[in-house]
Amino acid sequence: MIGRLTGVIAEKSPPLVLIDVQGVGYEVDVPMSTFFNLPNLGERVSLLTHFVVREDAQILFGFLSAEERATFRQLIKISGVGPRTALSILSGLSVGDLAQAVSLQEAGRLVKVPGIGKKTAERLLLELKGKLGPDLALPASMANDSQADILQALQALGYSDKEAAAALKQLPADVGVSEGIKLALKSLNR
């Protein structure tokens, strides 16, 4: 229902932010990763939102990036993970760190987040496997546009995330998309 808010930051009290949108104040809960990157009081901000309606409350959750909101939405689909837990996970781990923990099946990184026990961490690893963007699980040095395009092309051709990522690691860092796809296909067909 409410997908984005653009307004002036009126109050900041973690994890709550009050955004004044033309005289209407919206209370928005944000993960700490978003909170620390917000501008100062009185400055304009634009947040992507997720609106939760429950019997006893209507709550807005806000995010500075589309990846964060998409990850939040993936998290709340998991049985036993509500919006508050999802917010806690995104406060404790960046989206990239979470994707990497899922791709490497590292429950220990998830257990460090307050409110996440061993069973919940294992459920998260199982449920999120293959659902977080594969380009998010790549090291930061590989996260440029051409490498992401090459990875998506390989996956569209039917290669698994693991195969595509392995082929991508063998490519030169500055390779173009079309040349990169050709080189990756050659390495995969050996």
Side-chain angles (χ1 to χ4, degrees):
M1 177 179 219
I2 300 173
R4 183 179 66 185
L5 286 177
T6 301
V8 176
I9 297 178
E11 290 179 28
K12 289 166 79 173
S13 175
L16 190 77
V17 178
L18 183 68
I19 300 177
D20 185 328
V21 181
Q22 297 182 354
V24 178
Y26 290 91
E27 290 182 344
V28 184
D29 285 353
V30 298
M32 297 313 290
S33 53
T34 292
F35 189 85
F36 291 128
N37 290 309
L38 289 173
N40 295 323
L41 290 177
E43 294 184 25
R44 289 188 64 78
V45 68
S46 187
L47 292 177
L48 297 170
T49 61
H50 181 84
F51 187 50
V52 175
V53 178
R54 295 190 326 222
E55 193 174 300
D56 60 341
Q58 295 181 18
I59 308 166
L60 265 176
F61 295 93
F63 311 92
L64 282 174
S65 72
E67 293 83 17
E68 227 174 13
R69 180 173 68 176
T71 302
F72 175 84
R73 288 176 171 169
Q74 282 293 332
L75 287 168
I76 61 174
K77 288 179 186 176
I78 298 170
S79 174
V81 177
R84 295 280 178 217
T85 304
L87 209 62
S88 178
I89 292 168
L90 289 173
S91 291
L93 293 170
S94 71
V95 175
D97 289 343
L98 177 61
Q100 192 173 39
V102 169
S103 69
L104 299 174
Q105 294 293 291
E106 295 179 334
R109 288 172 78 177
L110 297 176
V111 174
K112 292 178 183 175
V113 175
I116 302 296
K118 187 176 181 184
K119 285 186 179 182
T120 304
E122 289 171 357
R123 186 178 324 115
L124 285 167
L125 293 177
L126 180 68
E127 297 275 339
L128 291 175
K129 189 169 186 170
K131 292 184 180 173
L132 295 180
D135 52 322
L136 297 175
L138 293 173
S141 62
M142 290 190 186
N144 65 38
D145 290 339
S146 65
Q147 297 228 339
D149 290 343
I150 294 167
L151 186 69
Q152 287 176 344
L154 293 173
Q155 289 169 333
L157 291 169
Y159 291 100
S160 71
D161 292 352
K162 200 176 222 178
E163 292 170 323
L168 201 57
K169 287 179 184 175
Q170 297 175 8
L171 300 177
D174 59 346
V175 70
V177 175
S178 61
E179 185 63 24
I181 293 170
K182 288 177 192 174
L183 292 171
L185 288 173
K186 283 181 185 176
S187 71
L188 286 166
N189 289 326
R190 287 185 193 155

